[in-house]
Amino acid sequence: MSEARAATEKLHAELHGLGVSSAYELGDDETVSVWIGLVVRYRDGFYRWQEGPVKRRHLGTDPVGCAMRVARRYQELQADVPLWWDDLARELRGAPVQDYP
């Protein structure tokens, strides 16, 4: 098992433990999709995530700390859906997507 795969599995388990049950691994051993537009990658020993057009980096290598920050941001995004989400959802899922974040 690669370092990236082990790191994403740990992150996924931590996210699930924090109640983020919609997160899933994309199958490339380094990427976890938390929500449309909120994606976490493990690369070069760091967790990095992209939130729509904004890229962020967790300064540690610990999956617990990263999962806590990402889970908190996930809840904030669901409570106040950002403007970029509609365009991204329409592009990825097609026009029929209405109120499903």
PDB file of all heavy atoms in Angstrom, residues 60-80:
ATOM      1  N   GLY A  60      -0.213  20.408   8.534  1.00  0.00           N
ATOM      2  CA  GLY A  60       0.302  19.201   9.148  1.00  0.00           C
ATOM      3  C   GLY A  60       0.133  17.990   8.251  1.00  0.00           C
ATOM      4  O   GLY A  60      -0.463  18.061   7.182  1.00  0.00           O
ATOM      5  N   THR A  61       0.669  16.888   8.707  1.00  0.00           N
ATOM      6  CA  THR A  61       0.527  15.638   7.971  1.00  0.00           C
ATOM      7  C   THR A  61      -0.474  14.720   8.660  1.00  0.00           C
ATOM      8  O   THR A  61      -0.650  13.583   8.251  1.00  0.00           O
ATOM      9  CB  THR A  61       1.889  14.917   7.870  1.00  0.00           C
ATOM     10  OG1 THR A  61       2.380  14.685   9.192  1.00  0.00           O
ATOM     11  CG2 THR A  61       2.880  15.743   7.084  1.00  0.00           C
ATOM     12  N   ASP A  62      -1.123  15.234   9.693  1.00  0.00           N
ATOM     13  CA  ASP A  62      -2.038  14.418  10.482  1.00  0.00           C
ATOM     14  C   ASP A  62      -3.443  14.389   9.869  1.00  0.00           C
ATOM     15  O   ASP A  62      -4.007  15.431   9.565  1.00  0.00           O
ATOM     16  CB  ASP A  62      -2.111  14.926  11.919  1.00  0.00           C
ATOM     17  CG  ASP A  62      -2.658  16.343  12.002  1.00  0.00           C
ATOM     18  OD1 ASP A  62      -2.208  17.189  11.206  1.00  0.00           O
ATOM     19  OD2 ASP A  62      -3.527  16.599  12.847  1.00  0.00           O
ATOM     20  N   PRO A  63      -3.991  13.208   9.688  1.00  0.00           N
ATOM     21  CA  PRO A  63      -5.332  13.110   9.124  1.00  0.00           C
ATOM     22  C   PRO A  63      -6.416  13.629  10.066  1.00  0.00           C
ATOM     23  O   PRO A  63      -7.440  14.124   9.618  1.00  0.00           O
ATOM     24  CB  PRO A  63      -5.506  11.617   8.854  1.00  0.00           C
ATOM     25  CG  PRO A  63      -4.532  10.937   9.747  1.00  0.00           C
ATOM     26  CD  PRO A  63      -3.399  11.905   9.923  1.00  0.00           C
ATOM     27  N   VAL A  64      -6.178  13.578  11.370  1.00  0.00           N
ATOM     28  CA  VAL A  64      -7.174  14.034  12.343  1.00  0.00           C
ATOM     29  C   VAL A  64      -7.377  15.541  12.226  1.00  0.00           C
ATOM     30  O   VAL A  64      -8.502  16.026  12.118  1.00  0.00           O
ATOM     31  CB  VAL A  64      -6.763  13.650  13.783  1.00  0.00           C
ATOM     32  CG1 VAL A  64      -7.735  14.222  14.793  1.00  0.00           C
ATOM     33  CG2 VAL A  64      -6.656  12.149  13.921  1.00  0.00           C
ATOM     34  N   GLY A  65      -6.299  16.296  12.224  1.00  0.00           N
ATOM     35  CA  GLY A  65      -6.388  17.743  12.117  1.00  0.00           C
ATOM     36  C   GLY A  65      -6.992  18.183  10.804  1.00  0.00           C
ATOM     37  O   GLY A  65      -7.829  19.089  10.754  1.00  0.00           O
ATOM     38  N   CYS A  66      -6.577  17.551   9.720  1.00  0.00           N
ATOM     39  CA  CYS A  66      -7.117  17.884   8.412  1.00  0.00           C
ATOM     40  C   CYS A  66      -8.604  17.552   8.349  1.00  0.00           C
ATOM     41  O   CYS A  66      -9.408  18.359   7.861  1.00  0.00           O
ATOM     42  CB  CYS A  66      -6.365  17.142   7.318  1.00  0.00           C
ATOM     43  SG  CYS A  66      -6.938  17.548   5.663  1.00  0.00           S
ATOM     44  N   ALA A  67      -8.983  16.395   8.846  1.00  0.00           N
ATOM     45  CA  ALA A  67     -10.386  15.982   8.815  1.00  0.00           C
ATOM     46  C   ALA A  67     -11.248  16.952   9.613  1.00  0.00           C
ATOM     47  O   ALA A  67     -12.355  17.295   9.186  1.00  0.00           O
ATOM     48  CB  ALA A  67     -10.542  14.564   9.361  1.00  0.00           C
ATOM     49  N   MET A  68     -10.749  17.435  10.734  1.00  0.00           N
ATOM     50  CA  MET A  68     -11.514  18.381  11.548  1.00  0.00           C
ATOM     51  C   MET A  68     -11.742  19.682  10.791  1.00  0.00           C
ATOM     52  O   MET A  68     -12.852  20.213  10.772  1.00  0.00           O
ATOM     53  CB  MET A  68     -10.802  18.638  12.878  1.00  0.00           C
ATOM     54  CG  MET A  68     -10.892  17.451  13.820  1.00  0.00           C
ATOM     55  SD  MET A  68      -9.906  17.591  15.328  1.00  0.00           S
ATOM     56  CE  MET A  68     -10.353  19.167  15.958  1.00  0.00           C
ATOM     57  N   ARG A  69     -10.709  20.189  10.137  1.00  0.00           N
ATOM     58  CA  ARG A  69     -10.839  21.438   9.381  1.00  0.00           C
ATOM     59  C   ARG A  69     -11.760  21.264   8.183  1.00  0.00           C
ATOM     60  O   ARG A  69     -12.596  22.117   7.900  1.00  0.00           O
ATOM     61  CB  ARG A  69      -9.466  21.918   8.931  1.00  0.00           C
ATOM     62  CG  ARG A  69      -8.597  22.375  10.090  1.00  0.00           C
ATOM     63  CD  ARG A  69      -7.250  22.825   9.638  1.00  0.00           C
ATOM     64  NE  ARG A  69      -7.395  24.081   8.906  1.00  0.00           N
ATOM     65  CZ  ARG A  69      -6.383  24.699   8.328  1.00  0.00           C
ATOM     66  NH1 ARG A  69      -5.169  24.182   8.380  1.00  0.00           N
ATOM     67  NH2 ARG A  69      -6.560  25.833   7.680  1.00  0.00           N
ATOM     68  N   VAL A  70     -11.600  20.172   7.466  1.00  0.00           N
ATOM     69  CA  VAL A  70     -12.412  19.920   6.276  1.00  0.00           C
ATOM     70  C   VAL A  70     -13.872  19.674   6.676  1.00  0.00           C
ATOM     71  O   VAL A  70     -14.790  20.183   6.028  1.00  0.00           O
ATOM     72  CB  VAL A  70     -11.842  18.755   5.450  1.00  0.00           C
ATOM     73  CG1 VAL A  70     -12.795  18.331   4.352  1.00  0.00           C
ATOM     74  CG2 VAL A  70     -10.496  19.147   4.849  1.00  0.00           C
ATOM     75  N   ALA A  71     -14.098  18.921   7.755  1.00  0.00           N
ATOM     76  CA  ALA A  71     -15.467  18.655   8.212  1.00  0.00           C
ATOM     77  C   ALA A  71     -16.151  19.954   8.640  1.00  0.00           C
ATOM     78  O   ALA A  71     -17.325  20.171   8.343  1.00  0.00           O
ATOM     79  CB  ALA A  71     -15.465  17.653   9.361  1.00  0.00           C
ATOM     80  N   ARG A  72     -15.415  20.823   9.303  1.00  0.00           N
ATOM     81  CA  ARG A  72     -15.973  22.112   9.713  1.00  0.00           C
ATOM     82  C   ARG A  72     -16.342  22.941   8.477  1.00  0.00           C
ATOM     83  O   ARG A  72     -17.422  23.511   8.399  1.00  0.00           O
ATOM     84  CB  ARG A  72     -14.965  22.880  10.563  1.00  0.00           C
ATOM     85  CG  ARG A  72     -15.515  24.167  11.131  1.00  0.00           C
ATOM     86  CD  ARG A  72     -14.526  24.901  12.029  1.00  0.00           C
ATOM     87  NE  ARG A  72     -13.722  24.032  12.858  1.00  0.00           N
ATOM     88  CZ  ARG A  72     -12.379  24.004  12.817  1.00  0.00           C
ATOM     89  NH1 ARG A  72     -11.715  24.794  12.017  1.00  0.00           N
ATOM     90  NH2 ARG A  72     -11.703  23.186  13.603  1.00  0.00           N
ATOM     91  N   ARG A  73     -15.463  22.958   7.486  1.00  0.00           N
ATOM     92  CA  ARG A  73     -15.740  23.727   6.271  1.00  0.00           C
ATOM     93  C   ARG A  73     -16.903  23.109   5.488  1.00  0.00           C
ATOM     94  O   ARG A  73     -17.718  23.833   4.919  1.00  0.00           O
ATOM     95  CB  ARG A  73     -14.486  23.800   5.399  1.00  0.00           C
ATOM     96  CG  ARG A  73     -14.646  24.726   4.233  1.00  0.00           C
ATOM     97  CD  ARG A  73     -14.917  26.152   4.693  1.00  0.00           C
ATOM     98  NE  ARG A  73     -15.217  26.988   3.542  1.00  0.00           N
ATOM     99  CZ  ARG A  73     -16.153  27.912   3.512  1.00  0.00           C
ATOM    100  NH1 ARG A  73     -16.854  28.180   4.586  1.00  0.00           N
ATOM    101  NH2 ARG A  73     -16.375  28.610   2.436  1.00  0.00           N
ATOM    102  N   TYR A  74     -16.980  21.802   5.486  1.00  0.00           N
ATOM    103  CA  TYR A  74     -18.086  21.096   4.826  1.00  0.00           C
ATOM    104  C   TYR A  74     -19.425  21.530   5.417  1.00  0.00           C
ATOM    105  O   TYR A  74     -20.367  21.837   4.697  1.00  0.00           O
ATOM    106  CB  TYR A  74     -17.865  19.591   4.985  1.00  0.00           C
ATOM    107  CG  TYR A  74     -19.020  18.713   4.596  1.00  0.00           C
ATOM    108  CD1 TYR A  74     -19.351  18.515   3.253  1.00  0.00           C
ATOM    109  CD2 TYR A  74     -19.768  18.057   5.561  1.00  0.00           C
ATOM    110  CE1 TYR A  74     -20.403  17.684   2.894  1.00  0.00           C
ATOM    111  CE2 TYR A  74     -20.818  17.225   5.209  1.00  0.00           C
ATOM    112  CZ  TYR A  74     -21.131  17.040   3.878  1.00  0.00           C
ATOM    113  OH  TYR A  74     -22.174  16.223   3.534  1.00  0.00           O
ATOM    114  N   GLN A  75     -19.502  21.595   6.742  1.00  0.00           N
ATOM    115  CA  GLN A  75     -20.732  22.025   7.407  1.00  0.00           C
ATOM    116  C   GLN A  75     -21.057  23.478   7.085  1.00  0.00           C
ATOM    117  O   GLN A  75     -22.212  23.830   6.860  1.00  0.00           O
ATOM    118  CB  GLN A  75     -20.624  21.820   8.917  1.00  0.00           C
ATOM    119  CG  GLN A  75     -20.632  20.374   9.307  1.00  0.00           C
ATOM    120  CD  GLN A  75     -20.406  20.171  10.794  1.00  0.00           C
ATOM    121  OE1 GLN A  75     -19.990  21.078  11.502  1.00  0.00           O
ATOM    122  NE2 GLN A  75     -20.673  18.962  11.265  1.00  0.00           N
ATOM    123  N   GLU A  76     -20.029  24.329   7.042  1.00  0.00           N
ATOM    124  CA  GLU A  76     -20.248  25.733   6.698  1.00  0.00           C
ATOM    125  C   GLU A  76     -20.770  25.870   5.270  1.00  0.00           C
ATOM    126  O   GLU A  76     -21.675  26.666   5.009  1.00  0.00           O
ATOM    127  CB  GLU A  76     -18.942  26.524   6.841  1.00  0.00           C
ATOM    128  CG  GLU A  76     -18.476  26.691   8.264  1.00  0.00           C
ATOM    129  CD  GLU A  76     -17.067  27.246   8.348  1.00  0.00           C
ATOM    130  OE1 GLU A  76     -16.390  27.410   7.304  1.00  0.00           O
ATOM    131  OE2 GLU A  76     -16.617  27.524   9.478  1.00  0.00           O
ATOM    132  N   LEU A  77     -20.213  25.101   4.351  1.00  0.00           N
ATOM    133  CA  LEU A  77     -20.646  25.166   2.955  1.00  0.00           C
ATOM    134  C   LEU A  77     -22.079  24.694   2.790  1.00  0.00           C
ATOM    135  O   LEU A  77     -22.844  25.256   2.009  1.00  0.00           O
ATOM    136  CB  LEU A  77     -19.718  24.330   2.064  1.00  0.00           C
ATOM    137  CG  LEU A  77     -18.330  24.902   1.828  1.00  0.00           C
ATOM    138  CD1 LEU A  77     -17.444  23.873   1.135  1.00  0.00           C
ATOM    139  CD2 LEU A  77     -18.400  26.179   1.020  1.00  0.00           C
ATOM    140  N   GLN A  78     -22.451  23.663   3.527  1.00  0.00           N
ATOM    141  CA  GLN A  78     -23.823  23.172   3.428  1.00  0.00           C
ATOM    142  C   GLN A  78     -24.816  24.165   4.018  1.00  0.00           C
ATOM    143  O   GLN A  78     -25.936  24.283   3.541  1.00  0.00           O
ATOM    144  CB  GLN A  78     -23.967  21.819   4.108  1.00  0.00           C
ATOM    145  CG  GLN A  78     -23.376  20.710   3.288  1.00  0.00           C
ATOM    146  CD  GLN A  78     -23.820  19.362   3.800  1.00  0.00           C
ATOM    147  OE1 GLN A  78     -23.913  19.142   5.000  1.00  0.00           O
ATOM    148  NE2 GLN A  78     -24.094  18.465   2.884  1.00  0.00           N
ATOM    149  N   ALA A  79     -24.402  24.878   5.049  1.00  0.00           N
ATOM    150  CA  ALA A  79     -25.285  25.858   5.677  1.00  0.00           C
ATOM    151  C   ALA A  79     -25.449  27.105   4.807  1.00  0.00           C
ATOM    152  O   ALA A  79     -26.502  27.735   4.819  1.00  0.00           O
ATOM    153  CB  ALA A  79     -24.732  26.246   7.048  1.00  0.00           C
ATOM    154  N   ASP A  80     -24.411  27.441   4.062  1.00  0.00           N
ATOM    155  CA  ASP A  80     -24.440  28.636   3.209  1.00  0.00           C
ATOM    156  C   ASP A  80     -23.787  28.273   1.884  1.00  0.00           C
ATOM    157  O   ASP A  80     -22.604  28.515   1.682  1.00  0.00           O
ATOM    158  CB  ASP A  80     -23.697  29.786   3.892  1.00  0.00           C
ATOM    159  CG  ASP A  80     -23.814  31.081   3.120  1.00  0.00           C
ATOM    160  OD1 ASP A  80     -24.769  31.245   2.339  1.00  0.00           O
ATOM    161  OD2 ASP A  80     -22.932  31.944   3.300  1.00  0.00           O
TER     162      ASP A  80
END
